[in-house]
Amino acid sequence: MPELPEVETVKRGLAPTMEGALLVRAELRRPDLRFPFPDDFAAAVSGRRILSLSRRAKYLMIDLEGGDVIIAHLGMSGSFRIEAGAPTARDGFHALRGKDEKHDHVVFHLDAHAGPARVIYNDPRRFGFMDLARREAIAEHAFFRELGEEPTGNALDAAYLAARFDGKAQPLKAALLDQRTIAGLGNIYVCEALWRARLAPVRPAGTLVDKRGGARKPLLLLVEAIRAVIADAIAAGGSSLKDHIQADGSLGYFQHAFSVYDREGEACRTPGCGGTVARIVQAGRSTFYCPRCQK
DNA sequence: ACATAGACCTGTTGGC
DNA sequence: TGCCAACAGGTCTATG
């Protein structure tokens, strides 16, 4: 599920309910996700008011009154959902509700503007995790210290990428997945951005840089492609590859706009190309691209 | 320094 | 229908 656009969508979905609400109690249904929860996690956050939600790379941050911040990463299969109203006896019956309660690992019980509500974290594979940090220490936190630029703002430009790519033999696919260069891109959006820029995923990153260390034209196109695909995906509410991912239960629809991802054997969508989307494996992960128009 | 493989988990899908 | 291998949006660690 979650690359940057999906986490951004989750944040926007949760914010109206969570911001300003009282986090009455955090209920942890197991001691760990990918990592153990901090020892004092539930006690530290319970009874605190939620000030705001934000996102950095693929991390969701929940700022609490008093200066603590809950840091959440959704891994591969994490999702949040909101349930309004107080829990009822029926909530225990999985069959009645048809929900995947088996993997509900964290429940934030809220006293929100519209009354009681629960924000529930579900994660079948448990590659996600939560941590707690002080707001003033966030920038130096191990999760954030080495992160590169966000692809949503003006900081990601051709000069920045040229400096990062200069002299690199690393394939573009791997270079773009490196969170230390661009924070928040994942497998889907890297494939899509490279297709939009007509660049082969196996091409060495350094070939987009000229002898003086400046950006060559394909790098300008790549920057535009990255920014555009991320903006388009956020506007579409992200991609829903499995069932619903948005907090209100609705679906993102960017998966319908994929040009190459998961389209092996299908026709390339570049006008006049006539190529066929191929799948290769790079660094153990599927890469989808058109060998005909991506050079 | 860097590239790849394996690890962490569970669920779904596709081929036989 | 059943079984099993392959694969899945991410990242960290070990190994060469």
Side-chain angles (χ1 to χ4, degrees), chain A residues 37-112:
Chain A
F37 289 98
D39 287 339
D40 55 347
F41 184 85
V45 306
S46 295
R48 312 281 284 283
R49 190 158 298 278
I50 296 168
L51 297 178
S52 65
L53 267 58
S54 55
R55 178 196 61 72
R56 170 80 168 109
K58 302 169 192 173
Y59 295 89
L60 175 72
M61 288 178 285
I62 304 170
D63 271 77
L64 303 176
E65 202 164 43
D68 284 333
V69 184
I70 297 171
I71 303 167
H73 193 293
L74 306 183
M76 292 278 264
S77 60
S79 65
F80 283 98
R81 71 174 190 274
I82 298 169
E83 293 187 358
T88 68
R90 287 179 48 150
D91 286 332
F93 295 90
H94 303 181
L96 277 178
R97 310 196 318 153
K99 283 182 186 149
D100 174 28
E101 283 199 342
K102 182 167 58 166
H103 300 298
D104 287 349
H105 304 310
V106 180
V107 182
F108 293 128
H109 297 267
L110 306 183
D111 184 3

Side-chain angles (χ1 to χ4, degrees), chain A residues 9-288:
Chain A
T9 298
V10 167
K11 187 206 85 175
R12 293 181 186 187
L14 293 175
T17 298
M18 295 187 80
E19 289 184 342
L22 182 67
L23 203 178
V24 177
R25 181 169 68 95
E27 176 188 354
L28 308 183
R29 295 186 173 171
R30 50 177 302 131
D32 58 4
L33 294 169
R34 178 170 177 187
F35 311 117
F37 289 98
D39 287 339
D40 55 347
F41 184 85
V45 306
S46 295
R48 312 281 284 283
R49 190 158 298 278
I50 296 168
L51 297 178
S52 65
L53 267 58
S54 55
R55 178 196 61 72
R56 170 80 168 109
K58 302 169 192 173
Y59 295 89
L60 175 72
M61 288 178 285
I62 304 170
D63 271 77
L64 303 176
E65 202 164 43
D68 284 333
V69 184
I70 297 171
I71 303 167
H73 193 293
L74 306 183
M76 292 278 264
S77 60
S79 65
F80 283 98
R81 71 174 190 274
I82 298 169
E83 293 187 358
T88 68
R90 287 179 48 150
D91 286 332
F93 295 90
H94 303 181
L96 277 178
R97 310 196 318 153
K99 283 182 186 149
D100 174 28
E101 283 199 342
K102 182 167 58 166
H103 300 298
D104 287 349
H105 304 310
V106 180
V107 182
F108 293 128
H109 297 267
L110 306 183
D111 184 3
H113 319 286
R118 282 155 293 150
V119 169
I120 299 163
Y121 179 70
N122 181 286
D123 189 355
R125 294 179 73 180
R126 299 203 308 276
F127 286 173
F129 49 88
M130 291 191 195
D131 198 5
L132 200 55
R134 295 292 301 172
R135 166 48 65 179
E136 62 272 16
I138 282 281
E140 287 309 306
H141 191 286
F143 296 153
F144 301 102
R145 197 169 45 223
E146 295 193 89
L147 284 179
E149 297 291 355
E150 293 276 323
T152 49
N154 294 327
L156 177 70
D157 61 20
Y160 170 78
L161 275 190
R164 297 287 309 190
F165 286 179
D166 194 14
K168 265 195 194 299
Q170 191 178 38
L172 280 172
K173 174 76 186 301
L176 293 176
L177 278 175
D178 189 339
Q179 303 296 298
R180 294 170 299 183
T181 298
I182 303 179
L185 295 188
N187 208 32
I188 293 176
Y189 297 108
V190 166
C191 290
E192 293 295 315
L194 287 170
W195 177 83
R196 289 189 185 209
R198 307 260 202 281
L199 289 168
V202 295
R203 180 168 169 165
T207 64
L208 302 188
V209 184
D210 67 24
K211 293 192 178 94
R212 298 172 183 171
R216 297 183 57 215
K217 187 166 182 186
L219 187 50
L220 305 181
L221 297 176
L222 179 58
V223 168
E224 284 316 301
I226 291 166
R227 293 167 67 139
V229 75
I230 291 298
D232 289 351
I234 290 173
S239 304
S240 306
L241 264 59
K242 292 282 186 290
D243 53 5
H244 56 79
I245 62 155
Q246 296 192 24
D248 65 359
S250 64
L251 293 166
Y253 52 87
F254 192 77
Q255 67 276 16
H256 302 303
F258 288 166
S259 296
V260 285
Y261 187 81
D262 204 22
R263 292 191 66 241
E264 182 183 13
E266 296 180 43
C268 175
R269 291 191 167 143
T270 297
C273 170
T276 302
V277 176
R279 173 184 175 273
I280 59 173
V281 174
Q282 293 179 283
R285 316 205 49 198
S286 290
T287 295
F288 299 90

